[in-house]
Amino acid sequence: MDSSHPDTVELDATGDLIDLWRAVCDAPSVSGDETALADAVERVLRGCAHLEVLRDGDAIVARTHLGRPHRVVVAGHLDTVPLTDPPNLPTRMEGEGEDAVLWGRGTVDMKGGLTVQLALAVELTDPAVDVTWVFYDHEEVEAELNGLGRLVRHHPELLHGDFAILGEATNAGIEGGCKGTLRVEVTTTGVAAHSGRPWMGTNAIHAAAEVLARLDAYEAREVDVEGLVYREGMSAVRISGGIAGNVVPDRCTVTVNYRFAPDKTLDEAISHTRELFDGFDVVVTDAAPGARPGLDAPLAQDFAAAVERLTGVEPAAKQGWTDVARFSTLGVPAVNFGPGDPLLAHKDDEHCPVSDVRTCHAALRAWLTGAPADA
């Protein structure tokens, strides 16, 4: 079997949790190549009599129907960013017991969280709440390809609930909400000319200096939203221009990424960006709203208290963008909770402690089988 494009992945969700984690990570599933892993997850879930299983593309939804007073959605994405060269798979384990650390692509983002939810989906035949387990594709690429977004468009009823938990890496603590993200292309124009006679033209790359100067002078906000502090950022992430080595260019484009606190709507973020680059041509190329913390919902407060009792860690703000924003648009309060250090997500040396996976498994299992019934 070609390890980079496996035809079949086999998972044992009833055995050791860490063995399952390694098997999930060792199944390469770079965005667009999730099918083998999605097939394996679907086979596992269809073997559970207590679950109704549905599939849309490479997204799988499994639900209990126990008539409980509350429904909780637990979600995680199947895909990873590309492997390194040479590949950072298969995984390798360093250390022993609870001090062990698993190294390799996906160990942090986010196959630890994915493993926890798959194991619990199989194990919890009689939870205190009805649970919807969501495994979806294409999270690490453009927003329009996102599998959870596709479910929102095609089957929003499958994602309805009183509270949602997304298994993104949070160091096994609660991170509330997320910042929004906006990408724009800021373009300068000029007049092309031979570089031997530059006075006959207008250099569009030189004109981009003003765009960069505005970015350099920009003062990002730190915003308190419902007790959690979000730190904004406005960054140039790409610049392109030029025709040939002997031509004064007539066009240059700076791609800017704005990460904004969830007190702003998407429209407000777009307006703010256009104001910053007033006088230039600004085109929005990708955009996703943020999400408020969601910790004012009774189930969210109960879950946060349960995690804090176990870990001693208070909730913090999610400084990146995550799919909690999609739940927010549906009116479902949502938090991030998963194993691994988010600062290691996408890095070549991605690694996660075994203890984080076991902590998240224990906390989520205890809460789903106990406290929420009275929340």
Side-chain angles (χ1 to χ4, degrees), residues 223-282:
V223 187
D224 186 308
V225 182
E226 298 171 13
L228 301 183
V229 177
Y230 296 85
R231 185 173 180 177
E232 294 192 333
M234 183 81 73
S235 307
V237 294
R238 181 180 296 124
I239 187 166
S240 60
I243 300 168
N246 60 351
V247 179
V248 171
D250 61 356
R251 187 177 183 86
C252 180
T253 299
V254 180
T255 302
V256 177
N257 185 204
Y258 179 31
R259 298 297 180 117
F260 55 95
D263 66 326
K264 272 193 177 79
T265 66
L266 193 54
D267 286 343
E268 289 170 340
I270 292 172
S271 294
H272 176 69
T273 307
R274 291 192 186 281
E275 289 171 6
L276 177 63
F277 299 111
D278 184 42
F280 294 97
D281 179 36
V282 178

Side-chain angles (χ1 to χ4, degrees), residues 35 38-39 42 54-60 137 150-151 154:
T35 299
D39 289 346
E42 183 181 15
L54 307 102
R55 182 162 178 168
D56 180 296
D58 282 335
I60 299 103
D137 57 293
R150 190 176 64 251
L151 287 172
H154 295 176

Side-chain angles (χ1 to χ4, degrees), residues 48 57 90 186 212 226 246 311 341 370:
C48 300
V186 185
L212 300 179
E226 298 171 13
N246 60 351
T311 65
D341 183 347

Side-chain angles (χ1 to χ4, degrees), residues 277-321:
F277 299 111
D278 184 42
F280 294 97
D281 179 36
V282 178
V283 176
V284 177
T285 59
D286 194 31
R292 301 184 75 87
L295 290 170
D296 52 347
L299 283 173
Q301 292 175 351
D302 189 70
F303 181 55
V307 171
E308 188 174 344
R309 283 194 299 270
L310 181 65
T311 65
V313 178
E314 295 183 356
K318 171 58 75 176
Q319 297 299 340
W321 184 91

Side-chain angles (χ1 to χ4, degrees), residues 38 42 46 53-61 78 135-138 145-155 158:
E42 183 181 15
R46 288 199 182 277
V53 180
L54 307 102
R55 182 162 178 168
D56 180 296
D58 282 335
I60 299 103
V61 179
L78 298 159
F135 305 80
Y136 62 98
D137 57 293
H138 284 90
L145 298 177
N146 186 291
L148 191 63
R150 190 176 64 251
L151 287 172
V152 170
R153 294 190 299 272
H154 295 176
H155 307 288
L158 297 180

Side-chain angles (χ1 to χ4, degrees), residues 67-103:
R68 304 292 194 240
H70 303 293
R71 178 171 291 277
V72 173
V73 183
V74 182
H77 61 83
L78 298 159
D79 61 322
T80 71
V81 295
L83 307 185
T84 57
D85 185 16
N88 47 355
L89 285 182
T91 54
R92 73 179 193 275
M93 187 73 76
E94 293 187 357
E96 297 181 356
E98 295 308 297
D99 294 326
V101 175
L102 187 64
W103 293 71

